[in-house]
Amino acid sequence: MTQLSVRHLLGIKNLTETDIHAILDTATQFKEVINRPIKKVPSLRDVTIANVFFENSTRTRLSFELAEKRLSADVVNFSASGSSVKKGETLLDTVNNILAMKVDMVVMRHSSPGAPHYLAERIGANIINAGDGTHEHPTQALLDAFSIREKIGDLAGKKVAIIGDILHSRVALSNIFCLKKLGAEVRVCGPTTLIPKYIDALGVQVSHNVRETLEWCDVANVLRIQLERLQVKYFPSLREYSLYFGISKAMLDSLNKPIVLMHPGPINRGVELTSDAADSAHSIILNQVENGVATRMAVLYLLAQQ
Ligand code: CP
C-alpha cells in the first residue's frame, strides 16, 4: 500500500515528489469511483472528520465534505461565525473540545499563517490545511496539478504561468512548490507591487507583461485580487488593473495556440478575467472544482493509513 512521508498535510513544502505522485495516482482511481452510479466506498467507515472553518469558503469546504461522505466517514462541520469563538474561546480550546467528541482528523481553514502547524504540534489527530492565511493551500495545488496532468499530460517540462495577486496568495505558493517538485517551468506575472521581492529564490521566472507571458506558457493559472487582504493601495484602481493584467477571450484566441486557462475561484469577473474568457473553451475552471473532490478523497484516504 502507498504510504505518505507525512502524518499531516500542512503544506506542499513538506511533501516529496513521491508523495505528490501517490496522491495524484490515488485521485485518478477515486475520480473513476465518483463517476460510477454508486459513488461511495467504505474506505473511511468509522473514521470521524471535523471540518473546522474560521474563514469563508465555498469550494474547499463543500469539496472536503463530499470527499469525506464519498469515503463513508462520519462528518461534523464547524464555522467560527455562530460558534463560541465569538465568546472568546481560543483556537486550541475549540479544537480540543471538538476532539473530545472522538474526532480522528481535522480539516482546518484559518486566516493566520501557521495555524494548522500550531495545532499539529499540540493534538493527536491528523491535520489537513485547507488554507492558512497568505501561506499555503496544499489541496488546491494538488487538484490544480491533477487537472493539468489530466488535460495535457505529465507536468515535467510544461510551462505554467501564475498570473495576478501573487503577494497575498496561498494558492500561488503551494502551486509553485508543487509544480517545481513535478518538474514544470514556472513563471509569475503581475504588477511589481503584487509580486514578493525575493520570489526568484523559489526558482521561478518573473514577468510584468501578461501578453508575453501568455505567449510563453502552456497553462495560465489566473488568481483573484484578494480585496479582503489589501490593507494599502497596490494599484491605482480595479479598472486600471484590469486594463493591464486582465485576460479576455479575444486575447486568448489571438495567441493561435492551445492554452489551458485555470482559476482557483472565486473569480472577480471583469477584473482578472472577462466572463467570456472564464466561460471559454480554453477554461478548465469547473474541471478543477470537479477534481477537487477526487483529490481530497486521495489526501484523506492516504493520511488515514498513517
Ligand atoms: N479555491 C478556494 O479555496 O475556494 P474557496 O475559498 O471557495 O474554498
Side-chain angles (χ1 to χ4, degrees):
M1 180 192 295
T2 313
Q3 286 265 315
L4 296 183
S5 67
V6 291
R7 257 200 81 226
H8 309 284
L9 179 61
L10 301 177
I12 301 290
K13 192 177 181 183
N14 313 336
L15 295 184
T16 63
E17 185 187 341
T18 308
D19 289 332
I20 297 173
H21 281 298
I23 293 167
L24 301 187
D25 292 345
T26 308
T28 303
Q29 293 171 32
F30 281 129
K31 182 154 181 183
E32 193 266 311
V33 167
I34 60 178
N35 280 294
R36 290 181 197 157
I38 297 169
K39 302 174 176 59
K40 239 173 149 162
V41 285
S43 314
L44 295 193
R45 203 169 49 204
D46 299 329
V47 174
T48 304
I49 305 177
N51 299 314
V52 179
F53 277 66
F54 290 86
E55 216 189 47
N56 296 341
S57 169
T58 298
R59 280 147 290 269
T60 311
R61 184 181 173 142
L62 288 178
S63 167
F64 265 113
E65 187 173 346
L66 270 176
E68 290 151 5
K69 289 180 171 168
R70 301 279 189 248
L71 291 166
S72 305
D74 293 320
V75 179
V76 286
N77 290 307
F78 166 92
S79 300
S81 58
S83 77
S84 290
V85 169
K86 297 288 169 207
K87 301 175 197 163
E89 192 162 36
T90 65
L91 169 62
L92 190 55
D93 279 342
T94 301
V95 175
N96 271 331
N97 276 271
I98 294 169
L99 292 179
M101 301 176 210
K102 308 294 176 215
V103 164
D104 305 296
M105 303 177 92
V106 176
V107 174
M108 187 173 76
R109 172 168 286 191
H110 202 284
S111 55
S112 295
H117 305 68
Y118 169 85
L119 274 193
E121 286 168 11
R122 288 165 178 80
I123 64 174
N126 304 96
I127 309 287
I128 298 164
N129 180 3
D132 60 329
T134 54
H135 182 219
E136 279 222 46
H137 191 350
T139 56
Q140 181 68 46
L142 291 164
L143 76 87
D144 288 345
F146 182 93
S147 303
I148 297 172
R149 193 174 83 160
E150 183 179 62
K151 185 73 183 171
I152 56 171
D154 195 2
L155 277 93
K158 297 290 185 316
K159 292 177 176 163
V160 182
I162 306 173
I163 301 171
D165 180 359
I166 312 298
L167 184 67
H168 299 98
S169 174
R170 53 194 175 208
V171 175
L173 187 60
S174 285
N175 259 276
I176 290 169
F177 287 140
C178 190
L179 293 165
K180 296 287 299 175
K181 282 177 198 261
L182 295 176
E185 281 185 61
V186 183
R187 176 185 291 200
V188 295
C189 176
T192 313
T193 49
L194 289 177
I195 296 203
K197 214 170 175 179
Y198 301 111
I199 195 146
D200 48 354
L202 297 178
V204 300
Q205 303 174 26
V206 177
S207 167
H208 308 295
N209 183 326
V210 169
R211 172 84 212 179
E212 198 259 324
T213 296
L214 291 175
E215 281 166 1
W216 171 82
C217 68
D218 302 303
V219 176
N221 194 353
V222 182
L223 306 181
R224 113 189 134 86
I225 294 296
Q226 306 214 7
L227 295 168
E228 73 279 19
R229 298 195 209 275
L230 304 187
Q231 262 102 45
V232 296
K233 251 181 162 344
Y234 290 87
F235 46 85
S237 67
L238 285 179
R239 192 168 164 273
E240 187 156 328
Y241 179 85
S242 171
L243 200 61
Y244 287 98
F245 293 97
I247 295 172
S248 65
K249 179 173 181 292
M251 198 186 273
L252 296 171
D253 289 344
S254 73
L255 298 170
N256 285 320
K257 61 156 193 174
I259 185 161
V260 178
L261 179 69
M262 303 174 70
H263 192 301
I267 303 169
N268 292 317
R269 284 178 183 258
V271 180
E272 64 267 8
L273 284 181
T274 58
S275 272
D276 65 358
D279 303 332
S280 71
H282 305 286
S283 166
I284 60 162
I285 294 171
L286 289 178
N287 304 83
Q288 290 172 260
V289 178
E290 179 187 351
N291 292 334
V293 177
T295 308
R296 289 175 174 122
M297 285 172 80
V299 166
L300 293 161
Y301 173 77
L302 291 169
L303 285 179
Q305 318 305 315
Q306 301 295 84

